[in-house]
Each structure stands twice: as structure tokens, then as C-alpha cells.
């Protein structure tokens, strides 16, 4: 209990920063809404009204989820490494993992509440909502480990910001933020649906809109858990290698 209480101020700090620097959050939401509006406008021209309604629900859900599962931890850790501030954390009796996780969770908190309300509105299946609650807990850890894993590349890459557009483009495409991934060829989709970006955006949106049988739900949960184990192992392994190159000074 004392260990948990030690990190509660970090969670509060993340929630507070969202309010103090609310102009950044507002700008992020505006850009996401603008991106969503363009996608909806295009699909409205291409699809009949009945199909467009489901497409609109899908895109609203995936783009809202993308505000929860962000790449912020990646650049936060990369900034600590490149600036030399990482030394402040690894020399203190705190867990760097839990510090960044709870800070990031605090920044996601208000959008997460909005998303849960959105789930209740758009889904009439209570069991799916309960499943997604537990699914998001595991998926959040999985995606967070992936972001830290990518952030650890900063041990070798001086500046990660040039990669930002590439990472965002991969997220937009593989996460289904422009179109449902099941519109692709079935042979491609049968594999692509299990990528980590799809599992936090495309999969939850499809489950909410069309529901899912027990086998599909268990399957996705199992795949997320496998990614979590793999990313967690790689994150720790890469960190051990990278920390040996770390000099503790700004790049």
C-alpha cells in the first residue's frame, strides 16, 4: 500500500498538467476532430447513408481511442535520455516505469472518462462494455511497453522527433483511424488485425459496433497478452543494453 501511495502524487501531477497546459490538450483534440471531420466528409461522399452511419460510429470510436493510447510516453522517455535527465530517475528509489505510466495515465484520465461514456451511448451490450474495461487495462500496459521500447531507441538515436511523422503514419494506417481494416483483402486482414495498433483502436471499435462471440473476445485478449509479454521482455533487455551507452549528459 505504501508503494502505491508513493506514486499517487505522480498520477495527480498528470491530471493537473492536463488542466494547467489545457491549451495543448485542446489543440490536440481540435486537430484530431479536424482529421476525423475530413475522413467523415470523404466517406459520406463514397458510401450510402446506411453504411455511412456505421462508418461514422467506427471512426469516432477509433479516433477517440487514439487520444487515450498516445505516443506521449515514447517522447517523454526519449527526452529524458537525450537531455541527461534520466539520471535523476534511475538514481532515486522510484520505478521509472511506474512514474511514466502513472503520469501518462493521469493525462489520459479525462479523455478515458469521456470514452467510457461514449461506450455506454454507442453500445447496447453490457457484456462487451465489461470485457472492454478489462481488455483496456491489459492493452494499456501492452501499448505503454511498446512506446517505452521505441523510446529506448534514443540511447542510439540522438533526436527521435524526425521519426514522429513516420510513427504517426503507421499508427493511422495500422490502427484503422482512416478506414476499417476489414475492408482490406481478407488474407491481409487475417494477419493485420493482430498488430498492436489495431488491437487498441480497430478491434474495440468493431466489437462495440457489431459485437463479438466469446471465441473472438478470448482470442483478442490472448493476443494482447502475448504482445504485452514480448514487449515487456524486449523493453527490459534493450534498456540494459542502452543504459551501458548512457553518459548522463545532454546530447
Amino acid at each position: 500500500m505504501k508503494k502505491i501511495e508513493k506514486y499517487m502524487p505522480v498520477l495527480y501531477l498528470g491530471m493537473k498538467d492536463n488542466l494547467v497546459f489545457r491549451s495543448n490538450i485542446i489543440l490536440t483534440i481540435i486537430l484530431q476532430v479536424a482529421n476525423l471531420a475530413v475522413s467523415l466528409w470523404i466517406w459520406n461522399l463514397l458510401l450510402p447513408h446506411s453504411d455511412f452511419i456505421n462508418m461514422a460510429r467506427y471512426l469516432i470510436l477509433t479516433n477517440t481511442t487514439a487520444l487515450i493510447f498516445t505516443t506521449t510516453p515514447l517522447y517523454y522517455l526519449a527526452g529524458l535520455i537525450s537531455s541527461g535527465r534520466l539520471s535523476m530517475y534511475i538514481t532515486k528509489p522510484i520505478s521509472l516505469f511506474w512514474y511514466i505510466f502513472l503520469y501518462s495515465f493521469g493525462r489520459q484520465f479525462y479523455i478515458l472518462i469521456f470514452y467510457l461514456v461514449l461506450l455506454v451511448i454507442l453500445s447496447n451490450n453490457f457484456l462487451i462494455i465489461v470485457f472492454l474495461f478489462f481488455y483496456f487495462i491489459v492493452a494499456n500496459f501492452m501499448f505503454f511497453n511498446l512506446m517505452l521500447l521505441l523510446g529506448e531507441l534514443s540511447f542510439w538515436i540522438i533526436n527521435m522527433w524526425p521519426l514522429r511523422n513516420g510513427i504517426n503514419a503507421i499508427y493511422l494506417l495500422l490502427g484503422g483511424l482512416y478506414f476499417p481494416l476489414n475492408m482490406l483483402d481478407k488474407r491481409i486482414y487475417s494477419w493485420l488485425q493482430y498488430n498492436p495498433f489495431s488491437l487498441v483502436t480497430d478491434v474495440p471499435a468493431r466489437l462495440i459496433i457489431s459485437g463479438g462471440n466469446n471465441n473472438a473476445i478470448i482470442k483478442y485478449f490472448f493476443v494482447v497478452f502475448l504482445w504485452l509479454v514480448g514487449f515487456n521482455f524486449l523493453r527490459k533487455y534493450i534498456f540494459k543494453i542502452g543504459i551501458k551507452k548512457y553518459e548522463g549528459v545532454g546530447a
Side-chain angles (χ1 to χ4, degrees):
M1 183 63 68
K2 290 183 178 180
K3 290 184 178 180
I4 298 176
E5 292 178 354
K6 180 171 64 175
Y7 294 102
M8 291 308 295
V10 180
L11 176 65
Y12 173 72
L13 178 63
M15 297 171 61
K16 182 179 179 181
D17 280 357
N18 250 1
L19 299 177
V20 173
F21 302 105
R22 53 187 174 274
S23 58
N24 293 339
I25 304 302
I26 293 173
L27 180 60
T28 300
I29 294 175
I30 290 175
L31 292 175
Q32 194 75 22
V33 170
N35 179 69
L36 173 62
V38 172
S39 297
L40 290 175
W41 177 70
I42 294 174
W43 284 112
N44 188 36
L45 297 176
L46 297 175
L47 297 175
H49 179 72
S50 57
D51 293 336
F52 173 72
I53 296 301
N54 282 333
M55 177 64 75
R57 293 173 65 193
Y58 172 86
L59 292 177
I60 290 172
L61 286 167
T62 54
N63 280 267
T64 304
T65 312
L67 292 173
I68 300 173
F69 295 93
T70 70
T71 56
T72 300
L74 188 165
Y75 301 106
Y76 188 90
L77 177 59
L80 294 180
I81 296 172
S82 60
S83 66
R85 290 184 291 120
L86 180 64
S87 303
M88 297 170 54
Y89 295 86
I90 61 177
T91 56
K92 292 181 179 180
I94 61 172
S95 167
L96 178 65
F97 177 90
W98 287 110
Y99 184 95
I100 300 178
F101 178 83
L102 289 173
Y103 177 76
S104 300
F105 183 78
R107 298 196 64 174
Q108 300 166 346
F109 182 78
Y110 301 108
I111 297 176
L112 182 60
I113 296 300
F114 171 76
Y115 184 77
L116 291 176
V117 173
L118 194 63
L119 287 186
V120 175
I121 295 174
L122 295 180
S123 176
N124 55 5
N125 190 330
F126 178 74
L127 291 179
I128 289 295
I129 296 177
V130 173
F131 159 74
L132 286 176
F133 175 78
F134 293 102
Y135 178 85
F136 275 136
I137 294 175
V138 181
N140 199 10
F141 278 104
M142 180 273 291
F143 197 78
F144 180 73
N145 273 275
L146 172 60
M147 291 300 103
L148 290 191
L149 175 61
L150 295 176
E152 288 171 356
L153 294 177
S154 192
F155 282 120
W156 294 273
I157 301 175
I158 295 177
N159 194 341
M160 291 288 291
W161 287 99
L163 299 178
R164 188 183 187 97
N165 290 335
I167 294 173
N168 288 342
I170 293 173
Y171 195 172
L172 290 170
L173 180 61
L174 299 185
L177 272 67
Y178 283 144
F179 59 88
L181 295 181
N182 58 8
M183 295 181 68
L184 298 171
D185 183 88
K186 289 185 178 180
R187 291 171 296 180
I188 298 176
Y189 174 70
S190 63
W191 292 97
L192 200 61
Q193 64 176 317
Y194 301 118
N195 80 80
F197 298 101
S198 169
L199 290 169
V200 299
T201 51
D202 175 77
V203 168
R206 285 190 293 103
L207 290 176
I208 293 169
I209 294 173
S210 60
N213 56 55
N214 293 335
N215 291 334
I217 291 174
I218 294 173
K219 176 182 63 177
Y220 287 127
F221 208 105
F222 180 70
V223 173
V224 168
F225 182 76
L226 287 181
W227 278 119
L228 169 60
V229 173
F231 289 146
N232 185 55
F233 172 78
L234 287 174
R235 174 184 62 82
K236 293 179 178 179
Y237 179 74
I238 295 299
F239 188 84
K240 288 181 180 179
I241 298 175
I243 200 67
K244 295 177 182 178
K245 299 177 62 67
Y246 179 67
E247 297 179 354
V249 295

